[in-house]
Amino acid sequence: MSKTMIVTGASRGIGAAVATVASAKGVNLMLNARSEDALNELARSLGVDPTRIVVVAGDVSNEQVCDRIVATAIERFGGIDVVVNNAGILDPIGTLDTVTADDWVRNLMVNVAGPVLLSQRAIQFLRERHGCIINISSGAAVKAVRGWSAYCTSKAALNHFNRMLAAEFPEITAIAVSPGMTATDMQVMVREQGEGRMPREEHQRFIDAHRRGELRSPDAVARVIVALGLSAPREMSGEFVTVDDPRVTSLL
Ligand SMILES: NC(=O)c1ccc[n+]([C@@H]2O[C@H](COP(=O)([O-])OP(=O)(O)OC[C@H]3O[C@@H](n4cnc5c(N)ncnc54)[C@H](OP(=O)(O)O)[C@@H]3O)[C@@H](O)[C@H]2O)c1
């Protein structure tokens, strides 16, 4: 029987790459992001049987959207094996004294409340199938990147939420993954909008890494995420791993 995976933030970047890799492995997909046209275009471009892919567009920090994501996956595919909590935003960039409270809280709504709300709704179905939740975290969860206080805080919270999932639900596997710098729009945003809003040397690190060609490809990161989602050992549940961790690359 084909496995079923929910991927949030699937309209571009790492999420779209996860959908592409999973689809090639015959996984049924429930794709979410706010941009409906981009999701439909991705679904078409994958060239698989349309009955294997379904799209629910909407903001993942909205409870009704999370209700619809899970209900649609169950209705269409009869169960859920993997949830990839990938949707995320970096904004606001700027030290705490320069950003608005609304923008700061909005970051936590998308990066933390989104994964919490979706996981909460999916958990009973994941337990039935001993499924897996992959929380897409960041090195920023454990490193203070100046100018990114909301983002860093949100990813640290996501890591602890991941540990909580592992502690409360031993039937499932919950893994938080740090992709490392990856060539997506989020990195373009850092390079283009970080100047003047992040300390100069902090911003320069991202410019230099890009210039030296050090960014990972979304495809390479996606292969690891899909491998973890489909075959992470239960003993790893609760862990925060990097994509080049040997225990992770051995699953490829
Ligand atoms: N790129 C990196 O270097 C890097 C490094 C570490 C961690 N990460 C993490 O990797 C994940 C994916 O990032 P990326 O680099 O692929 O970023 P990206 O290219 O900016 O893509 C972000 C995705 O999230 C979706 N999204 C944003 N807000 C949403 C919301 N409220 N509801 C539903 N979907 C939403 C976007 O689609 P719509 O705009 O259509 O909603 C898009 O599909 C994020 O969690 C990010 O924090 C990235």
Side-chain angles (χ1 to χ4, degrees):
M1 189 181 61
S2 292
K3 293 207 170 182
T4 294
M5 181 182 287
I6 294 174
V7 186
T8 67
S11 62
R12 60 176 189 268
I14 294 171
V18 167
T20 305
V21 170
S23 148
K25 290 186 180 295
V27 173
N28 297 320
L29 289 171
M30 158 63 250
L31 305 181
N32 157 265
R34 291 163 305 173
S35 312
E36 189 161 20
D37 289 350
L39 289 175
N40 286 329
E41 180 50 37
L42 172 66
R44 265 194 302 277
S45 75
L46 294 176
V48 295
D49 181 345
T51 61
R52 283 193 30 229
I53 302 191
V54 62
V55 161
V56 170
D59 184 335
V60 76
S61 68
N62 177 306
E63 288 194 52
Q64 283 78 46
V65 171
C66 291
D67 286 339
R68 276 202 290 127
I69 291 172
V70 170
T72 305
I74 295 302
E75 206 178 294
R76 178 67 78 90
F77 304 121
I80 302 169
D81 298 279
V82 185
V83 173
V84 182
N85 285 316
N86 167 76
I89 57 172
L90 181 61
D91 268 337
I93 304 178
T95 51
L96 187 61
D97 53 337
T98 65
V99 301
T100 70
D102 281 352
D103 288 345
W104 209 98
V105 171
R106 170 79 190 141
N107 184 292
L108 266 71
M109 287 304 294
V110 177
N111 293 2
V112 184
V116 170
L117 294 171
L118 185 59
S119 302
Q120 191 180 35
R121 281 150 182 79
I123 201 82
Q124 69 174 107
F125 302 106
L126 290 166
R127 288 168 99 173
E128 282 170 11
R129 293 194 177 183
H130 299 291
C132 183
I133 296 180
I134 304 290
N135 289 303
I136 306 303
S137 182
S138 166
V142 289
K143 177 175 163 43
V145 183
R146 288 168 295 160
W148 292 9
S149 66
Y151 184 78
C152 292
T153 303
S154 74
K155 294 299 186 181
L158 185 64
N159 279 7
H160 207 60
F161 174 61
N162 184 69
R163 290 184 197 102
M164 292 308 306
L165 284 171
E168 292 187 341
F169 304 103
E171 315 90 326
I172 71 155
T173 305
I175 313 268
V177 181
S178 167
M181 281 188 209
T182 307
T184 68
D185 287 358
M186 193 176 274
Q187 285 289 328
V188 174
M189 183 185 167
V190 176
R191 294 195 297 276
E192 290 182 351
Q193 298 182 28
E195 191 171 2
R197 294 160 76 190
M198 297 167 68
R200 205 190 59 75
E201 66 284 7
E202 195 89 78
H203 179 240
Q204 193 61 39
R205 269 195 318 115
F206 292 89
I207 303 284
D208 292 344
H210 177 249
R211 190 171 31 79
R212 291 194 295 257
E214 289 173 2
L215 272 57
R216 294 199 161 99
S217 77
D219 176 68
V221 170
R223 286 179 190 284
V224 171
I225 292 168
V226 171
L228 275 169
L230 297 179
S231 55
R234 195 90 56 85
E235 310 83 76
M236 278 180 73
S237 196
E239 290 204 39
F240 171 49
V241 298
T242 57
V243 291
D244 55 4
D245 184 315
R247 291 169 308 162
V248 172
T249 53
S250 70
L251 300 173
L252 287 170

